[in-house]
Amino acid sequence: MGALHKKGPSNRKTKIQLSWILAWILGIFWTLVALLPFVFMVLNSFKEKFEMLTKGVFSLPNSFYTENYIAVLKGNFFRFFFNSVIVLVISLGILLFISACASYPLARFKFKLAQPIYALIVACMSIPIHITLIPVFKMSKNLGIYDSIWALIGPYVATAIPISVFILTSFMREIPVEIEESAQIDSCGKYKMFFYMILPLAKPGMATLAIYNGVNMWNEFSFAYTLTQSTVNRTLPLAVWEFQGQYSMNTPMIMAVLTLTVIPMILLFIVAQDKLVKGMTAGAVKG
């Protein structure tokens, strides 16, 4: 019995060590998988037009050919960038406001239609955006906003509302009810309570939604391709078309466009990664 008692903690310690080793191996493997496309993109963006065909795609360039980036920046890149920023800022602002206004009553108020409405919103998460392209295209034509950046705002907000309300409702349910009860004693109304108490407390969750939806909106292609036509109204995901001809395309220059496109999102994630982690874990533990 004494031998078994001594062996138990040792086995547990060995299992913990093996678990950590396995976690490190999987983490390193996943990091390599995630970094390989980025390395491929950056390396080939510094190559000349036909260099990547004569050498390996992961080989170092003969010389760091910066003309690709110069040509991209001299073109319409900043116009595409400006369009993407406008669409992103307006869409995120509308999305976060609507999601917060919808999530608060679903999380706090008790009424008969609360569960059916919540179930309907969750069910909308399963609708593929591609089946909405034709109706949205016809709607934008009828409204006279086709081939403008304003045509993108509505679809971006509408497709992101279900997941945003789902996440924010769960987050708001974790906010202690005692805070609202003490505010009600001081004669604080529902609107004042929402804007001055619930929204500040929900900032981590809203920051998570802003980053998550911001990345999706920044990289969105289907609606941007369907609802815009002229060059002046294109967003960054469509910038590659400027360097693609009918029979050929300048692949290294396209890699340069993609590299410049992802840099803002990488910088945003580096700056806001702590808020993203806090928002994802804030509602995980009830305190």
Side-chain angles (χ1 to χ4, degrees), residues 9-28:
S10 177
N11 286 340
R12 256 195 319 271
K13 188 176 180 180
T14 303
K15 287 181 180 178
I16 292 173
Q17 288 176 343
L18 289 174
S19 299
W20 274 107
I21 292 171
L22 181 62
W24 272 101
I25 292 172
L26 291 175
I28 293 170

Side-chain angles (χ1 to χ4, degrees), residues 262-275:
V262 302
I263 285 175
M265 288 297 105
I266 293 175
L267 294 176
L268 175 65
F269 182 78
I270 292 173
V271 172
Q273 61 178 329
D274 57 329
K275 293 182 176 60

Side-chain angles (χ1 to χ4, degrees), residues 204-215:
M206 294 184 72
T208 302
L209 290 179
I211 297 170
Y212 172 77
N213 290 307
V215 172

Side-chain angles (χ1 to χ4, degrees), residues 169-190:
T169 300
S170 301
F171 185 87
M172 286 185 176
R173 282 174 179 166
E174 301 299 328
I175 298 175
V177 182
E178 292 78 12
I179 295 175
E180 295 174 80
E181 291 175 348
S182 61
Q184 286 176 346
I185 294 174
D186 295 330
S187 302
C188 182
K190 292 292 182 183

Side-chain angles (χ1 to χ4, degrees), residues 12-195:
R12 256 195 319 271
K13 188 176 180 180
T14 303
K15 287 181 180 178
I16 292 173
Q17 288 176 343
L18 289 174
S19 299
W20 274 107
I21 292 171
L22 181 62
W24 272 101
I25 292 172
L26 291 175
I28 293 170
F29 174 75
W30 181 250
T31 302
L32 291 174
V33 171
L35 284 177
L36 274 177
F38 185 75
V39 172
F40 165 81
M41 182 175 63
V42 174
L43 280 178
N44 289 288
S45 68
F46 286 102
K47 293 179 180 179
E48 296 186 32
K49 186 173 182 179
F50 299 106
E51 187 179 340
M52 64 178 297
L53 300 177
T54 57
K55 299 178 66 176
V57 292
F58 285 102
S59 63
L60 291 173
N62 293 330
S63 61
F64 283 91
Y65 188 71
T66 58
E67 289 298 320
N68 293 328
Y69 286 93
I70 295 172
V72 169
L73 295 175
K74 283 183 177 179
N76 292 311
F77 178 82
F78 287 108
R79 179 67 186 182
F80 301 147
F81 179 84
F82 185 65
N83 289 341
S84 291
V85 170
I86 292 176
V87 172
L88 178 65
V89 171
I90 296 176
S91 299
L92 273 183
I94 296 173
L95 172 65
L96 293 177
F97 180 74
I98 293 176
S99 300
C101 291
S103 300
Y104 179 56
L106 290 174
R108 284 294 194 249
F109 300 166
K110 294 182 180 180
F111 55 98
K112 290 182 179 180
L113 293 178
Q115 284 303 114
I117 291 174
Y118 185 69
L120 180 63
I121 292 173
V122 172
C124 289
M125 292 167 55
S126 63
I127 299 176
I129 65 168
H130 301 92
I131 67 172
T132 65
L133 290 175
I134 295 176
V136 169
F137 170 77
K138 290 184 176 180
M139 189 182 300
S140 65
K141 290 281 284 186
N142 293 333
L143 292 174
I145 57 175
Y146 173 72
D147 193 22
S148 69
I149 59 174
W150 312 114
L152 302 175
I153 295 172
Y156 285 4
V157 173
T159 54
I161 281 178
I163 182 66
S164 301
V165 172
F166 173 72
I167 293 174
L168 205 54
T169 300
S170 301
F171 185 87
M172 286 185 176
R173 282 174 179 166
E174 301 299 328
I175 298 175
V177 182
E178 292 78 12
I179 295 175
E180 295 174 80
E181 291 175 348
S182 61
Q184 286 176 346
I185 294 174
D186 295 330
S187 302
C188 182
K190 292 292 182 183
Y191 292 101
K192 198 172 183 180
M193 190 184 303
F194 171 70
F195 285 105

